[in-house]
Amino acid sequence: MNDMLRITTPAAMQELGLVWRREGLTVGLVPTMGYWHEGHLSLMRWARENCDVLVASVFVNPTQFGPGEDLENYPSDLERDSGLARECGVDALFTPVRDEMYAPDHGTWVTVPDLTANLCGRSRPVHFRGVATVVCKLFNLVQPTFAVFGQKDWQQLAVIRKMTRELDIPVRVEGRPIVREADGLAMSSRNVYLTDEERAVAPHIRKGLLLLESLVRSGEADADRLREAVMKYFEANIPMGRLDYLELVDPDTIETVGQVRGDVLAAVAMRLGKARLIDNMHIPFER
Ligand code: PAF
């Protein structure tokens, strides 16, 4: 493909997606809410290597924000994203407007209750219903061969995998590693909300997870004791942070584990000023 296409309506997107599918092209999709950082770009570069046609979407999906969340202030810079998309070799940038994605009487939802009772699903009750619904819509519109998501949103990835599998959606779901700043802070569009003081302590979120990993490696298996040690670390090093959750869960079922007896995911969400930051660490079991 030559110059990047800018597609703004769901109808035009689906028409093209169906043409590509009929032509037998491998289409890669990177769904985003914009305000791209290196994490997004790593997904695009990986997708670029693995497809004929690369589509990226930028859509701040209103249905995944609850009341009082940052929907109206969510950072955006479409011009900048568009330049970055060109640099990454995106063939088509899909940027629908809200009213075209959701009719005023929209009432069909995709829910994955098994995976959403814990972690972010607990503190953001409508979030994953919105995510699953919009991703399902994007899959139907773009008709991709595969779609790529970051592992920072581990629970989101698990939800999308299960939805895709259980609804027989013919899309391969790919998860890619978390991309971090040099000091370890997981990249996020929401990092822009941090003050200098908050930004200075934010890398301790990752350091707390590294501490947890080292305790597991040294033989501690009790989840309560592991959580206590890390919470103490957070209290000492991020005194202004308000912990939303720190949990050890099964990486597939997202159920809380009491004892580490297999692969485990340590997941954290913390409010720091205006930002709610999430991070996680997958700890494979070593016998
Ligand atoms: O991870 C995100 O940016 C969003 O949740 C997604 C997958 C684009 C759906 O709106």
Side-chain angles (χ1 to χ4, degrees):
M1 286 221 164
N2 296 326
D3 204 22
M4 185 175 81
L5 296 170
R6 174 85 174 267
I7 302 166
T8 55
T9 68
M13 184 68 256
Q14 195 174 53
E15 207 176 306
L16 259 173
L18 288 168
V19 169
W20 292 327
R21 186 162 274 241
R22 269 199 300 276
E23 288 176 352
L25 296 170
T26 300
V27 177
L29 168 66
V30 182
T32 81
M33 298 208 299
Y35 209 68
W36 292 352
H37 49 68
E38 198 50 43
H40 295 110
L41 304 188
S42 75
L43 305 182
M44 296 209 216
R45 291 192 197 108
W46 185 87
R48 180 66 285 172
E49 294 291 301
N50 289 284
C51 66
D52 301 316
V53 181
L54 174 56
V55 182
S57 61
V58 174
F59 179 61
V60 181
N61 172 37
T63 63
Q64 67 187 74
F65 291 77
E69 292 187 352
D70 56 345
L71 172 62
E72 298 311 334
N73 305 320
Y74 196 82
S76 98
D77 189 342
L78 196 49
E79 278 321 297
R80 184 170 163 276
D81 291 348
S82 182
L84 291 169
R86 271 198 188 84
E87 281 171 30
C88 289
V90 169
D91 297 305
L93 186 64
F94 179 42
T95 58
V97 295
R98 274 185 210 174
D99 296 354
E100 294 230 21
M101 283 295 272
Y102 294 104
D105 61 347
H106 181 94
T108 303
W109 302 105
V110 181
T111 60
V112 187
D114 292 354
L115 295 183
T116 55
N118 211 354
L119 308 186
C120 289
R122 178 170 308 191
S123 27
R124 306 184 69 192
V126 297
H127 176 65
F128 288 115
R129 182 188 83 160
V131 169
T133 302
V134 82
V135 170
C136 185
K137 283 166 76 68
L138 289 168
F139 285 180
N140 284 327
L141 295 172
V142 179
Q143 303 274 316
T145 316
F146 67 84
V148 196
F149 300 86
Q151 289 171 347
K152 182 164 77 72
D153 298 288
W154 186 284
Q155 189 176 18
Q156 164 172 286
L157 185 57
V159 165
I160 293 167
R161 280 193 204 287
K162 190 168 163 79
M163 166 192 83
T164 307
R165 190 172 64 243
E166 294 186 348
L167 296 182
D168 305 305
I169 303 176
V171 175
R172 212 172 68 235
V173 175
E174 300 281 354
R176 302 292 304 157
I178 300 176
V179 177
R180 298 181 179 282
E181 302 286 355
D183 58 12
L185 176 64
M187 289 199 185
S188 163
S189 305
R190 289 183 166 107
N191 290 352
V192 72
Y193 297 149
L194 298 171
T195 63
D196 289 349
E197 196 192 356
E198 289 155 2
R199 175 65 188 80
V201 294
H204 286 293
I205 297 176
R206 161 78 168 164
K207 289 187 179 139
L209 292 173
L210 287 167
L211 166 67
L212 190 146
E213 183 190 34
S214 72
L215 292 170
V216 170
R217 293 283 169 244
S218 61
E220 180 58 81
D222 185 80
D224 284 343
R225 279 202 291 273
L226 288 163
R227 291 177 62 250
E228 266 162 40
V230 178
M231 283 190 315
K232 236 164 137 183
Y233 179 87
F234 286 157
E235 276 158 30
N237 293 284
I238 323 179
M240 69 281 248
R242 282 164 296 138
L243 192 64
D244 182 348
Y245 62 74
L246 169 66
E247 291 282 339
L248 281 101
V249 299
D250 179 297
D252 299 319
T253 64
I254 317 292
E255 277 167 14
T256 298
V257 300
Q259 295 291 316
V260 180
R261 293 208 187 93
D263 286 11
V264 77
L265 182 82
V268 58
M270 184 182 286
R271 289 179 200 281
L272 204 44
K274 289 198 195 114
R276 180 177 177 280
L277 304 179
I278 60 171
D279 201 347
N280 66 68
M281 183 181 286
H282 181 229
I283 309 176
F285 192 58
E286 281 176 9
R287 274 162 215 291

